[in-house]
Amino acid sequence: VQLQASGGGLVQPGGSLRLSCVASGETLADYVIAWFRQAPGKEREGVSCIGVSDSTSYSDSMKGRFTASRDNSKNTVYLQMNSLKLEDTAVYYCAADLFCSLTDADGYRSRGQGTQVTVSS
């Protein structure tokens, strides 16, 4: 499955963005989709994962601020990001596999190109 993330941009602290991850080549409904992010000079970090049954998991720093959802009819997964902070600045990318993991990014069978999110005043 090929993935393409989009929706990043420049936003002020406290603002919101919605990222999209569009799949092609295969049916998104068959996969869990995770979001990861990586900021310059920092390690890659798991953000969220949404299962095939719409169950979701989040890293602690994103709980209550980020919401993952999926629209299988559009082969798309979304990441709604609210109350953005300066430290949320990173390249965000989505990845697909059969099981959720927020720690094993390299284990995902497919990963799309990222989208830049910059939080700045």
Side-chain angles (χ1 to χ4, degrees):
V1 59
Q2 288 79 47
L3 305 173
Q4 179 63 55
S6 63
L10 175 63
V11 63
Q12 292 184 339
S16 299
L17 281 175
R18 188 178 79 160
L19 306 184
S20 299
C21 175
V22 180
S24 61
E26 296 183 56
T27 302
L28 189 69
D30 295 336
Y31 295 93
V32 307
I33 300 295
W35 288 94
F36 293 88
R37 70 185 187 185
Q38 188 161 21
K42 295 186 177 180
E43 293 187 355
R44 187 166 44 198
E45 179 181 20
V47 175
S48 72
C49 189
I50 184 166
V52 296
S53 59
D54 288 353
S55 60
T56 54
S57 56
Y58 303 92
S59 292
D60 288 343
S61 62
M62 292 78 171
K63 288 180 181 177
R65 300 190 300 124
F66 292 8
T67 303
S69 61
R70 64 195 303 155
D71 186 341
N72 291 333
S73 68
K74 296 181 179 180
N75 243 21
T76 301
V77 165
Y78 303 100
L79 182 67
Q80 178 68 42
M81 305 187 297
N82 299 327
S83 302
L84 284 164
K85 305 175 181 179
L86 296 175
E87 53 264 39
D88 292 320
T89 296
V91 175
Y92 287 70
Y93 61 93
C94 51
D97 210 301
L98 300 181
F99 302 99
C100 275
S101 170
L102 294 181
T103 57
D104 184 19
D106 291 334
Y108 280 74
R109 61 181 61 194
S110 296
R111 190 179 81 179
Q113 291 186 338
T115 184
Q116 176 70 46
V117 172
T118 302
V119 184
S120 175
S121 56

